[in-house]
Amino acid sequence: MAVMVLYYVITALFTVILVRNFIKTRDVQKGILYLAVLMPFVLRLFRLK
Amino acid sequence: MRLNKEWTIKGIAMAVTGTILVLAGIAFAQHRNFKEEVVLGPGVTTVRTLGDYFAPLKGGPNDANVFILDSGEPGGTMLVLGASHPEEPATSLTAHLLVENATVEQGKLIVVIHSNPSASTVTRPGDAYPRFFHIETDWGIKKFRMGDRWANPLDSWPDPETYVHFPSGQLLAYMDVRNLNRTWPGRSNGSLAEQTCYAFMRLIEAEGVDIVIDLHEAELEYPIIGTIVAHQKALRIAAMASMTLTAEEFRIGMEISPLALHGLSHREIGDHSNAPALLAETPQPFLDRVRGITDESLLLTGKDEFVMKAGEFGLLYWPIDESGWPIDARVGRHCSTVLKIAEFWTLFNRSKPLVVTSVPRYADVVANGTGYFFQDPATASASKVVYE
């Protein structure tokens, strides 16, 4: 259970990093890539998939 | 100006991503939260849950309903497990049909429709699995969840690098730590699937279960198919059931549970309790890797031209033709197999008879369809409807 909570913390950390990178990048292609990568992290954080 | 253009594109991308997330999220949530309605049949005397036998499971994702059909007359006790793998729907349908129809005249029958409920709340979108399937009945369409082989990662995460089976120490694939038929006999402080198996072992002890039947389906590319796999304590019963079913109803084989293959119900339940276990397999073309379009139709009809072609090249372990392997034939096979095993249990254990009636046999299910045997929850009293 503790390991599971830790994995959710790691997932949240990756989500924050991806959102930050999306905001900061000036390259829209990279921005779209960050959003695509972000989707499974958000679905897991919201416990949907 | 350039900044505006950049954020316009980013805004559109955010809107598209958000839409995808919302639509996907709704679809996943609908499937995870859908409840199947079960009408308690005349034989059901008590409904308990797995948490009653192992408290840590109470109220959790695998607190499965346990339907007890007690005749009140002394006799043997049989446990039937449906949907150990919820991607094998003939197993949960058979268990569902037993709960809604069976009456027990001697002994006790215990039925679990979803033995690994968590695994029934997730499918494999990457393999194009449908989320639901539907069975026609005389009173309308009855809707069921399609599931997966492994417990939902939302309930059991992360997987280990390698799954070390307890207590044998045998190394198994990492995801099988969520596979109910690789985690027997389970352990109290293990993964969700291990704890679920542990709870079933406590149920077997507490209810004095004499024999266990674990229902499954298999791809035609898999050698263990159309058969009964039996622990060495149940060989006589399995052999007689196999021979008489083949002579009277349909061809079915028999396999001896390998001594060194650990984690499976037919090995571990027999080794760690007084109850011998048997595992029954039906053919399900939906699971074959060479299958074509993967949809609800394939799930229910079992018709697939690519699987048939594989059969023409001798690549299958079980025959298939234009008729496919429809769900009614698969449910019917499981019904007759359960009944036949109960008959031979009684024959070999005269002091502990188990007499189960009002369950359709193979020919009845094929002739009338599985849906014919389901009761309408809308016309049943609320106290008789249980949600799975």
Side-chain angles (χ1 to χ4, degrees):
Chain A
M1 190 62 188
V3 179
M4 193 170 174
V5 170
L6 192 62
Y7 266 65
Y8 275 100
V9 172
I10 294 168
T11 305
L13 181 68
F14 274 108
T15 305
V16 169
I17 291 169
L18 286 165
V19 170
R20 181 177 169 276
N21 285 356
F22 171 75
I23 292 167
K24 291 192 82 170
T25 185
R26 306 296 302 269
D27 182 337
V28 289
Q29 283 196 8
K30 278 188 178 174
I32 292 168
L33 182 64
Y34 288 135
L35 287 179
V37 174
L38 185 67
M39 281 193 268
F41 287 90
V42 173
L43 288 171
R44 179 56 59 94
L45 271 183
F46 282 96
R47 292 186 50 77
L48 290 165
K49 180 64 181 164
Chain B
M1 188 66 182
R2 188 175 165 219
L3 197 67
N4 280 345
K5 189 183 171 194
E6 175 196 322
W7 273 101
T8 304
I9 296 171
K10 278 184 169 179
I12 293 168
M14 281 168 63
V16 171
T17 305
T19 306
I20 293 171
L21 279 174
V22 169
L23 292 177
I26 289 171
F28 290 136
Q30 279 175 341
H31 180 253
R32 184 163 163 79
N33 296 310
F34 179 78
K35 302 287 182 205
E36 297 171 4
E37 293 169 312
V38 182
V39 180
L40 301 181
V44 178
T45 48
T46 317
V47 182
R48 304 186 77 177
T49 70
L50 216 42
D52 294 334
Y53 302 93
F54 179 55
L57 285 190
K58 199 73 181 168
N62 270 8
D63 192 15
N65 286 325
V66 177
F67 299 92
I68 300 177
L69 293 79
D70 192 346
S71 67
E73 299 293 324
T77 299
M78 174 188 274
L79 169 64
V80 177
L81 300 175
S84 287
H85 295 150
E87 63 172 353
E88 299 160 12
T91 67
S92 49
L93 290 175
T94 302
H96 198 131
L97 193 151
L98 287 171
V99 169
E100 294 203 355
N101 294 273
T103 52
V104 182
E105 293 178 6
Q106 283 184 292
K108 184 164 66 173
L109 176 66
I110 303 173
V111 183
V112 180
I113 295 175
H114 284 113
S115 302
N116 187 359
S118 170
S120 74
T121 64
V122 63
T123 61
R124 275 186 245 170
D127 275 9
Y129 278 26
R131 289 180 300 149
F132 302 102
F133 61 95
H134 304 80
I135 299 288
E136 269 185 52
T137 72
D138 292 344
W139 42 266
I141 302 287
K142 193 167 169 67
K143 185 176 175 181
F144 298 88
R145 284 193 312 275
M146 174 60 177
D148 199 358
R149 187 176 176 84
W150 301 281
N152 194 332
L154 292 179
D155 303 319
S156 181
W157 188 50
D159 295 337
E161 289 286 319
T162 302
Y163 162 43
V164 182
H165 172 258
F166 177 83
S168 73
Q170 193 165 77
L171 301 183
L172 297 168
Y174 68 96
M175 67 285 199
D176 278 338
V177 77
R178 290 182 281 121
N179 180 343
L180 200 75
N181 202 27
R182 295 294 182 279
T183 48
W184 294 97
R187 55 179 156 180
S188 59
N189 60 349
S191 69
L192 179 67
E194 287 178 304
Q195 289 189 33
T196 307
C197 287
Y198 182 84
F200 275 118
M201 294 303 291
R202 303 292 75 75
L203 180 158
I204 288 166
E205 283 173 9
E207 298 290 347
V209 172
D210 294 302
I211 186 165
V212 179
I213 304 177
D214 187 13
L215 302 176
H216 283 263
E217 298 200 87
E219 59 271 44
L220 285 72
E221 295 163 277
Y222 183 61
I224 313 299
I225 185 169
T227 193
I228 303 168
V229 187
H231 188 270
Q232 64 269 20
K233 292 180 195 168
L235 290 184
R236 286 195 309 170
I237 292 172
M240 290 306 294
S242 163
M243 283 193 291
T244 51
L245 283 171
T246 300
E248 295 168 359
E249 299 187 59
F250 50 82
R251 181 185 148 209
I252 188 167
M254 181 217 163
E255 308 270 344
I256 302 170
S257 171
L259 290 170
L261 188 56
H262 291 287
L264 292 104
S265 58
H266 50 77
R267 165 59 32 220
E268 305 294 351
I269 295 175
D271 283 358
H272 294 90
S273 77
N274 293 325
L278 303 101
L279 184 150
E281 293 272 16
T282 62
Q284 188 193 3
F286 183 92
L287 297 175
D288 278 285
R289 302 311 302 177
V290 297
R291 68 182 185 264
I293 296 171
T294 305
D295 57 10
E296 185 179 349
S297 172
L298 174 58
L299 188 71
L300 296 179
T301 65
K303 291 180 186 173
D304 186 279
E305 59 178 312
F306 295 96
V307 178
M308 271 180 60
K309 183 61 77 178
E312 289 170 19
F313 284 100
L315 299 173
L316 304 180
Y317 292 91
W318 200 255
I320 183 170
D321 58 21
E322 298 78 14
S323 309
W325 278 103
I327 193 78
D328 298 331
R330 285 143 53 197
V331 171
R333 286 176 69 97
H334 274 327
C335 285
S336 281
T337 303
V338 169
L339 292 173
K340 192 59 81 178
I341 289 170
E343 286 169 26
F344 279 106
W345 165 265
T346 302
L347 194 69
F348 290 127
N349 299 275
R350 291 287 188 193
S351 61
K352 290 188 126 187
L354 175 64
V355 180
V356 181
T357 58
S358 306
V359 177
R361 300 194 81 97
Y362 173 74
D364 304 321
V365 182
V366 170
N368 297 298
T370 305
Y372 177 81
F373 300 97
F374 288 133
Q375 298 181 39
D376 184 0
T379 59
S381 74
S383 63
K384 286 283 186 185
V385 179
V386 172
Y387 295 91
E388 280 281 323

